[in-house]
């Protein structure tokens, strides 16, 4: 029973949306959208589980003075401060979580603008640096395939910037051609293969053939 | 010079060059020209030629602060375009981490430039909804059920703009400014199932994937990253010269200015790649000569 | 059950596959024509002559051929009104008002409008089973002309979205092909699966971490368990965790999504139990970091730089953080095995990792690693459908090029 029940639930939760895709009847649709709402609720509770885990782990770290424990203090403090103002804002203390009617920042909004936002921007901007070092290493004309890759990369990079067009109007056109034709063809090939792989995996899961993710043994 | 050492160049030297290439054009604006590519032209033409005054556009903020430097200029340019043409805009946010804040900030900024517009009549912000995919599906049946109130808690029935909008059928276009997968859902879920035209403005990193949807006509236009945004800025300024004054505001961050940085960094990367290859070939030939 | 049916060699099977493809094509053709006929066979009101209601302004021509039907393939509560507009409607700039009543001879009130060029209106929010009557009023300035009323139409919920028949046919073909090969595999027919270098390297990667006495990071992507790539990743995690338990390697699984976190914890715990080393399992092996994409990336890359793991697994659904994680791993000299079906992130992984599972290889991983015959069978079934799709694609290219549009019509999704 301990094994059968999760598999039965998986089967039902997997089949209902497929049936609803083909059957427009109101009640079927209702069951399917209810499942969607349940997912959101379950995810909400799981997030709570995550937060509890973060607090436990980091509290332990500080308690045991294990390596990097000062970072754990920073993390817990940040969690407490942002969490407090978020909660308080939700109950309309400190003027909510967005800006006040006069345009001034509430504490949550202030933290968002002057801590969260720049930190996020910084992480995303790191991509430019990492891309530079990765492409320096990767784009070498080692063999024919690598040379084709290199030429395509240079064309696209050059064609996407104004200098490309200043040199010749063919650079932007070549860029668009590479992106729209060979790039797209390859992407579609991978997408179709991956979609079939995902569908086959989904079928295995719905039918209870693939169970490894449930932690209840593989195969039959 | 030891060529082997150039091959194994410390990545921090590359990072230093990229940093200089990023900082200098921010301080000394170059103002490089912008050329227009077909996917962006398609997006612009769809709004300019196929929509009329009073039509409704749904604009979904599906990005957060991390990709705001790329996505926000797209949102601004498209909002300015819609408002200049008298098109009404319904704003929603489906990205959990900061989508709503981005929507509020950009809408506040752009509507301040159009004092004649009235909230609830010409534009509205319905706020954030969790569970993007489920919300998108449900909006095909009834938007009022997905968003019972706007971002300020006003019931939708009290907002004149929302009186005649119940489903996608009542709108002419969806614009999604996206950082992750939500933009793709608009193309392959909403457009494919419900038929409403979709324009997506993704970050440059994810732009290649969208070409498949564009070519399959599941998208009515594509603004790929900062470059796409700068092209759109150019197109709206050309068509509505009044917006030229807005874009000339000193200190205003625009994609066109951002493109200066991107162009210089691209050039630096091209230079490094070329250098790497030259050195690679020189060192490869040497042992052959020796043998 | 005869065991050698269908014939064994692949070349002998090509004709039967082609035949199946042709049957499919014929089926699609039948579907598309029958749909067209059913649309044409709707109840029609008799044509009505123009009826001028305004004598001052020249009356515009009324619409003809007005009919109201239950909107097909919907959940109910809606009626579709269709009409044929006058030939010069667009030149004149006509507009139409759709009027509705619940009795045939009066009480008509406007429920919607349409412009020249539009010949259909969908009226929603109706009561199923009640009779409704419609008229369409042509409007030109102050001049109006009303059509005659339609016959009674009733809205009702439907049981099948007929326009999705093609998807259903594909679903049936795909599922039966997969299930057929699973059944065959159960009868212990050996199934060939090509080598996947990235998966062969898993053992070596775990072994390396053990020898070096260093950590292994397993990053199951940043999406939730409703993303099938995450489930595929969890299946590989099960295998890695079992190896890690066997060799007593130090495994850490940081998570971004709370549901994935809960599932990963169960997977790892179970794997240690199955390997017979539940004593080695520690709760903090699988931990939760944050729901924010870049904060998660910062945390994981930070740990990578501080703890210098010997091995990184980056398997699942990744977005902009892919290169940040992979390049950091590369810079600390970790052996890296990555896998994703997110095409935009594949180039980054290929550049910065030692092995990359591309698209469907990721989904084949659990079958490949476990060598379970029935899992391998499902992969064979999937490959047969892929072959049929390739045939259909080729056929489609040829047919479209010579102007026969039926393939694109048969595969169109509405």
């Amino acid at each position: 029973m301990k094994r059968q029940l999760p598999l039965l639930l998986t089967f039902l939760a997997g089949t209902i949306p497929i049936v609803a895709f083909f059957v427009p009847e109101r009640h079927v649709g209702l069951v399917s959208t209810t499942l969607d709402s349940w997912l959101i609720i379950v995810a909400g509770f799981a997030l709570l589980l995550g937060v509890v885990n973060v607090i436990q782990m980091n509290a332990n770290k500080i308690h045991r003075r294990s390596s990097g424990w000062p970072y754990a203090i920073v993390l817990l403090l940040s969690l407490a401060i942002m969490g407090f103002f978020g909660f308080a804002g939700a109950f309309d203390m400190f003027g909510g979580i967005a800006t006040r009617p006069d345009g001034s920042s509430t504490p949550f909004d202030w933290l968002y603008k002057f801590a969260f936002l720049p930190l996020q921007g910084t992480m995303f901007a790191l991509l430019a640096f990492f891309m530079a070092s990765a492409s320096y290493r990767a784009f070498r004309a080692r063999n024919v395939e690598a040379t084709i890759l290199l030429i395509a990369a240079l064309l696209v990079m050059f064609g996407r910037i104004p200098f490309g067009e200043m040199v010749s109007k063919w650079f932007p056109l070549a860029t668009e051609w590479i992106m729209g034709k060979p790039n797209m063809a390859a992407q579609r090939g991978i997408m179709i293969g991956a979609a079939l792989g995902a569908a086959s995996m989904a079928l295995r899961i719905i039918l209870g053939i693939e169970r490894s993710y449930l932690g209840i043994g593989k195969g039959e | 010079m030891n060529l082997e050492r150039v091959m194994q160049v410390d990545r921090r030297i590359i990072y230093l060059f990229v940093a200089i290439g990023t900082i200098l054009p921010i301080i000394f604006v170059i103002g490089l020209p912008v050329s227009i590519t077909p996917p962006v032209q398609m997006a612009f033409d769809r709004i300019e030629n196929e929509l009329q005054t009073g039509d409704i556009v749904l604009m979904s903020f599906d990005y957060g602060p991390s990709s705001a430097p790329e996505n926000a200029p797209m949102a601004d340019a498209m909002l300015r375009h819609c408002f200049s043409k008298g098109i009404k805009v319904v704003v929603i946010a489906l990205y959990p981490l900061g989508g709503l804040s981005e929507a509020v900030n950009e809408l506040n900024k752009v509507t301040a430039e159009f004092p004649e517009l009235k909230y609830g009549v010409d534009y509205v912000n319905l706020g954030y909804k969790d569970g993007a995919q489920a919300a998108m599906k449900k909006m095909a049946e009834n938007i009022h059920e997905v968003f019972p109130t706007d971002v300020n808690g006003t019931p939708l029935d009290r907002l004149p703009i929302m009186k005649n909008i119940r489903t996608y059928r009542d709108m002419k276009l969806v614009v999604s400014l996206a950082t992750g997968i939500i933009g793709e859902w608009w193309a392959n879920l909403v457009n494919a199932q419900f038929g409403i035209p979709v324009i997506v403005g993704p970050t440059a990193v994810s732009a290649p994937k969208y070409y498949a949807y564009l070519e399959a006509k599941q998208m009515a236009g594509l603004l790929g990253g900062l470059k796409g945004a700068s092209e759109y800025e150019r197109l709206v300024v050309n068509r509505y010269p009044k917006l030229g004054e807005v874009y000339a505001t000193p200190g205003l961050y625009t994609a066109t200015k951002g493109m200066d940085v991107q162009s210089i960094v691209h050039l630096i990367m091209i230079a490094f790649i070329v250098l790497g290859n030259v050195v690679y070939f020189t060192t490869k030939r040497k042992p052959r000569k020796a043998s | 059950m005869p065991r050698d049916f269908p014939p064994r060699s692949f070349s002998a099977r090509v004709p039967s596959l082609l035949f199946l493809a042709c049957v499919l094509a014929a089926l699609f053709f039948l579907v598309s024509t029958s749909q067209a006929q059913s649309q044409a066979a709707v109840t029609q009101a008799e044509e009505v002559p123009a009826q001028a209601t305004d004598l001052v302004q020249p009356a515009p021509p009324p619409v003809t051929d007005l009919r109201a039907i239950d909107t097909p393939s919907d959940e109910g509560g809606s009626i579709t009104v269709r009409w044929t507009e006058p030939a010069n409607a667009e030149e004149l700039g006509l507009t139409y008002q759709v009027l509705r009543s619940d009795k045939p001879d009066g009480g008509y009130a406007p429920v919607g409008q349409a412009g020249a060029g539009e010949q259909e209106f969908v009226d929603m929010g109706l009561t199923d089973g009640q009779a409704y009557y419609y008229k369409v009023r042509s409007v030109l300035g102050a001049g109006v002309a009303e059509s005659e009323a339609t016959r009674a139409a009733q809205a009702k919920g439907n049981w099948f979205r007929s326009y999705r028949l093609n998807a259903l046919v594909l679903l049936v073909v795909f599922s039966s092909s997969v299930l057929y090969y699973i059944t065959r595999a159960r009868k212990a027919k050996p199934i060939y699966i090509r080598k996947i270098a990235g998966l062969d390297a898993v053992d070596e990667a775990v072994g390396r971490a053990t020898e070096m006495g260093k950590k292994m990071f397993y990053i199951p992507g940043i999406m939730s368990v409703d993303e099938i790539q995450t489930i595929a990743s969890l299946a590989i995690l099960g295998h890695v965790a079992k190896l890690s338990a066997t060799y007593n390697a130090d495994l850490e699984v940081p998570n971004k999504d709370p549901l994935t976190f809960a599932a990963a914890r169960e997977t790892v715990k179970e794997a240690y139990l199955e390997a017979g080393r539940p004593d080695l399992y520690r709760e903090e092996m699988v931990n939760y970091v944050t729901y924010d994409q870049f904060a998660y990336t910062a945390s994981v890359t930070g740990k990578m730089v501080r703890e210098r793991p010997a091995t990184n697994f980056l398997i699942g659904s990744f977005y902009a953080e892919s290169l940040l994680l992979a390049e950091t791993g590369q810079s600390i000299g970790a052996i890296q095995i990555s896998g994703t079906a997110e095409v935009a992130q594949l180039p980054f992984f290929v550049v910065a990792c030692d092995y990359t599972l591309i698209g469907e290889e990721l989904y084949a991983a659990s079958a490949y690693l476990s060598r379970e015959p029935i899992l391998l069978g499902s992969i064979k079934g999937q490959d047969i459908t892929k072959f049929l799709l390739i045939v259909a694609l080729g056929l489609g290219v040829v047919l479209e090029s010579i102007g026969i549009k039926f393939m694109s019509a048969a595969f169109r999704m509405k």
Side-chain angles (χ1 to χ4, degrees):
Chain A
M1 195 59 194
K2 199 185 155 213
R3 284 172 180 233
Q4 299 306 322
L5 194 65
L7 292 179
L8 180 70
L9 285 177
T10 311
F11 177 77
L12 289 176
T15 327
I16 290 167
I18 299 177
V19 172
F21 182 76
F22 294 108
V23 178
E25 211 281 333
R26 202 169 300 219
H27 298 91
V28 180
L30 199 66
V31 175
S32 178
T33 44
T34 307
L35 274 183
D36 287 343
S37 319
W38 285 5
L39 179 69
I40 297 172
I41 296 167
V42 172
F45 277 101
L47 191 57
L48 202 65
L49 183 75
V51 174
V52 170
N53 182 263
V54 167
I55 296 174
Q56 256 178 359
M57 291 253 315
N58 286 284
N60 274 342
K61 219 175 189 179
I62 300 167
H63 185 69
R64 283 196 234 125
R65 295 282 190 276
S66 38
S67 75
W69 65 272
Y71 297 118
I73 297 180
V74 176
L75 191 144
L76 288 182
L77 270 181
S78 313
L79 177 71
I81 294 171
M82 200 84 186
F84 170 74
F85 285 114
F87 263 111
F91 292 104
D92 269 342
M93 292 160 77
F94 307 111
I97 56 169
T99 47
R100 297 197 182 91
D102 62 356
S104 65
S105 286
T106 58
F108 185 82
D109 185 61
W110 190 89
L111 285 169
Y112 173 85
K113 265 190 202 143
F114 299 109
F116 187 63
L117 208 142
L119 284 170
Q120 290 275 311
T122 307
M123 282 306 290
F124 194 57
L126 278 180
L127 259 184
F129 294 86
F130 283 18
M131 245 180 243
S133 62
S135 54
Y136 176 71
R137 211 175 48 240
F139 293 125
R140 290 278 153 79
R142 290 189 186 89
N143 48 40
V144 180
E145 291 94 329
T147 313
I148 294 173
L149 201 70
L150 170 71
I151 295 170
L154 287 179
L155 274 177
V156 171
M157 285 171 83
F158 207 55
R160 295 290 276 180
I161 55 175
F163 298 115
E165 206 192 8
M166 284 176 189
V167 175
S168 161
K169 70 179 167 62
W170 292 103
F171 276 112
L173 293 178
T175 302
E176 280 303 310
W177 184 83
I178 290 171
M179 296 295 281
K181 300 295 181 301
N183 158 61
M184 194 199 65
Q187 298 235 11
R188 276 192 185 154
I190 296 175
M191 273 158 117
I192 291 174
L196 284 173
S200 144
M201 178 102 188
L203 193 65
R204 296 200 298 261
I205 291 167
I206 291 173
L207 297 178
I209 295 166
E210 171 92 53
R211 303 166 183 191
S212 41
Y213 71 99
L214 273 176
I216 53 172
K218 288 187 179 76
E220 286 173 285
Chain B
M1 191 173 66
N2 188 342
L3 288 176
E4 286 294 333
R5 271 182 57 197
V6 178
M7 287 284 288
Q8 304 301 325
V9 60
D10 189 329
R11 66 187 76 215
R12 280 169 298 190
I13 292 177
I14 303 180
Y15 296 164
L16 182 70
F17 274 90
V18 173
I20 294 169
T22 310
I23 295 166
L24 286 186
I26 294 179
I27 301 169
F28 308 104
V29 179
I30 313 169
L32 291 167
V34 177
S35 60
I36 310 296
T37 54
V40 181
Q41 185 73 48
M42 271 171 74
F44 179 83
D45 289 348
R46 169 66 70 157
I47 294 181
E48 185 58 35
N49 303 337
E50 290 183 40
L51 299 193
Q52 269 123 38
T53 305
D55 280 347
I56 312 278
V57 168
L58 178 73
M59 195 174 280
S60 183
F61 282 70
D62 306 330
Y63 69 94
S66 56
S67 64
E70 275 190 287
N71 291 121
M74 300 175 188
D76 296 349
M78 297 193 89
L79 280 173
R80 287 180 182 123
H81 187 192
C82 289
F83 291 149
S84 302
K85 206 176 145 57
I87 292 166
K88 300 181 178 194
V89 182
V90 175
V91 167
I92 59 169
L94 298 179
Y95 188 75
L97 293 153
L100 179 61
S101 306
E102 291 299 321
V104 171
N105 290 344
E106 300 315 310
L107 207 53
N108 282 348
K109 182 166 84 187
V110 177
T111 49
E113 297 158 11
F114 295 83
E116 70 279 10
L117 296 181
K118 272 179 83 177
Y119 181 80
V121 178
D122 300 298
Y123 65 96
V124 68
N125 184 356
L126 301 186
Y128 164 72
K129 189 76 194 173
D130 194 17
Q133 212 168 358
M136 287 165 162
K137 279 194 221 161
K138 193 78 196 156
M139 280 165 75
E141 292 161 28
N142 194 342
I143 294 174
H144 292 238
E145 273 178 31
V146 184
F147 295 95
T149 65
D150 75 347
V151 70
N152 307 317
T154 315
L156 292 203
D157 292 329
R158 278 205 247 142
L159 297 161
I161 181 174
M162 291 310 293
K163 286 229 167 88
N164 293 322
I165 306 177
R166 298 215 84 86
T167 70
Y168 292 126
R169 285 172 206 254
D170 305 314
M171 296 180 287
K172 288 283 158 69
L173 180 74
V174 171
V175 174
S176 163
L177 297 323
T179 175
I181 194 166
I182 302 177
E184 221 179 310
W185 286 337
W186 283 112
N188 64 18
L189 199 128
V190 175
N191 175 275
Q193 285 191 32
F194 312 114
I196 183 166
V198 170
I199 292 173
V200 183
T203 52
V205 184
S206 42
K209 199 171 182 182
Y210 285 91
Y211 277 83
Y213 299 111
L214 188 73
E215 294 276 331
K217 301 197 170 56
Q218 277 179 272
M219 277 166 53
L222 167 68
L223 278 66
L226 200 61
K227 166 88 165 100
S230 71
E231 292 176 34
Y232 210 90
E233 282 176 358
R234 171 53 45 90
L235 284 167
V236 288
V237 169
N238 285 352
R239 174 67 187 79
Y240 299 95
K242 240 187 94 184
L243 288 178
E245 295 163 27
V246 174
Y247 276 103
T249 313
L252 182 81
Y253 169 72
T254 66
T256 315
K257 285 180 197 165
M259 266 313 282
D260 282 356
V261 176
Q262 196 171 314
S263 305
I264 300 295
V265 175
H266 269 204
L267 274 189
I268 292 172
M269 282 162 78
I270 292 172
F272 267 107
I273 292 171
V274 171
L275 174 77
N277 277 286
V278 170
V279 177
Y280 174 71
F281 277 106
T282 329
T283 48
K284 211 172 78 171
R285 249 180 236 151
K286 265 190 184 163
R288 267 191 212 156
K289 273 181 193 168
S291 64
Chain C
M1 189 72 188
R3 285 189 63 181
D4 46 3
F5 177 82
R8 269 184 198 147
S9 83
F10 183 75
S11 54
R13 240 170 275 167
V14 168
S16 55
L17 288 174
L18 281 176
F19 175 72
L20 189 54
C22 294
V23 172
L24 269 183
L27 207 57
F28 277 132
F29 185 67
L30 280 178
V31 172
S32 41
T33 44
S34 74
Q35 263 177 275
Q37 278 165 2
S38 71
Q39 276 176 7
V42 289
T43 337
Q44 293 185 5
E46 24 331 356
E47 282 190 23
V48 284
Q51 195 180 30
T53 51
D54 194 307
L55 296 172
V56 188
Q57 177 103 8
V63 303
T64 55
D65 214 10
L66 180 72
R67 63 246 188 238
I69 51 161
D70 168 48
T71 306
S73 306
D74 74 340
E75 62 166 31
S78 149
I79 288 175
T80 300
V81 185
R82 294 203 183 105
W83 60 87
T84 307
E85 62 177 4
N88 53 351
E90 295 206 34
E91 272 170 48
L92 292 172
L94 281 188
T95 54
Y96 309 109
Q97 263 186 344
V98 180
L99 314 172
R100 181 184 72 207
S101 170
D102 47 14
K103 33 188 198 301
D105 44 4
Y108 284 91
V111 288
Q113 48 199 356
E118 292 179 63
Q119 306 194 73
E120 186 184 284
F121 175 78
V122 181
D123 192 13
M124 304 197 11
L126 304 174
T127 312
D128 283 352
Q130 193 187 323
Y132 293 100
Y133 303 86
Y134 289 88
K135 282 180 178 181
V136 168
R137 185 187 279 162
S138 315
V139 182
L140 181 64
V144 293
E146 256 175 37
S147 71
E148 202 148 290
T150 59
R151 285 185 198 168
Q154 295 182 345
K156 63 175 198 310
N158 302 107
W159 282 95
F160 185 62
R161 291 190 169 94
S162 49
Y163 56 85
R164 283 193 182 149
L165 188 58
N166 52 7
L168 185 66
V169 171
L170 263 180
L171 180 75
V172 170
V173 170
F174 178 74
S175 311
S176 4
S177 157
V178 170
L179 292 179
Y180 171 73
Y181 281 99
I182 287 177
T183 326
R184 251 166 71 90
R186 278 212 172 98
K187 290 175 194 148
K189 292 231 169 190
I191 285 175
Y192 168 78
I193 186 163
R194 80 176 158 82
K195 250 176 93 70
I196 301 177
L199 291 174
D200 288 340
V202 169
D203 287 38
E204 178 205 331
V206 178
R208 181 174 185 254
T210 316
E211 275 167 28
M212 294 172 74
K214 283 184 172 181
K215 249 189 183 165
M216 286 195 297
F217 277 120
Y218 191 102
I219 295 149
I222 62 160
M223 296 300 277
S224 193
V225 280
D226 60 345
E227 169 63 58
I228 209 114
Q229 295 180 61
T230 308
I231 297 184
S233 174
L234 290 176
I236 302 176
L237 171 63
H239 182 84
V240 171
K242 217 189 269 176
L243 286 176
S244 148
T246 315
Y247 297 148
N248 191 10
D250 190 4
L251 174 71
E252 179 165 350
V253 189
N255 284 278
K256 185 243 162 194
D257 184 88
L259 283 177
T260 312
F261 159 64
R265 178 165 269 194
E266 283 307 305
T267 309
V268 173
K269 205 191 237 171
E270 189 68 28
Y272 272 72
L273 196 66
E274 239 178 88
R277 301 304 305 268
D279 52 310
L280 293 178
Y281 173 77
R282 286 168 294 114
E283 288 273 289
E284 59 266 31
M285 275 180 174
V286 186
N287 52 59
Y288 185 74
V289 180
T290 168
Y291 195 66
D292 182 79
Q293 179 188 18
F294 286 112
Y296 172 76
T297 313
S299 160
V300 175
T301 49
K303 263 189 201 164
M304 277 185 195
V305 172
R306 288 194 302 273
E307 302 182 9
R308 305 208 158 247
T311 303
N312 285 334
F313 293 94
L314 302 153
I315 298 174
S317 178
F318 288 87
Y319 289 92
E321 69 289 338
S322 64
L323 185 68
L324 298 178
L325 294 168
E327 185 70 3
T328 308
Q330 208 275 341
S331 74
I332 55 160
I335 180 166
Q336 303 202 95
I337 299 179
S338 59
T340 187
E342 298 298 335
V343 268
Q345 310 305 329
L346 277 170
F348 298 139
F349 277 155
V350 171
V351 163
C353 296
D354 300 277
Y355 302 95
T356 303
L357 303 173
I358 296 174
E360 61 207 286
E361 290 178 342
L362 170 63
Y363 301 115
S366 65
Y368 188 90
L369 291 170
S370 69
R371 299 280 161 175
E372 287 278 346
I374 54 168
L375 293 182
L376 290 173
S378 72
I379 294 187
K380 176 137 190 180
Q382 159 197 336
D383 280 352
I384 297 297
T385 314
K386 193 173 179 183
F387 174 76
L388 289 178
L389 280 181
I390 293 171
V391 172
L393 266 174
L395 207 63
V397 169
V398 173
L399 290 181
E400 286 286 312
S401 307
I402 57 175
I404 301 172
K405 300 274 177 204
F406 123 87
M407 279 303 248
S408 55
F411 276 90
R412 183 161 294 134
M413 285 291 288
K414 193 176 154 191

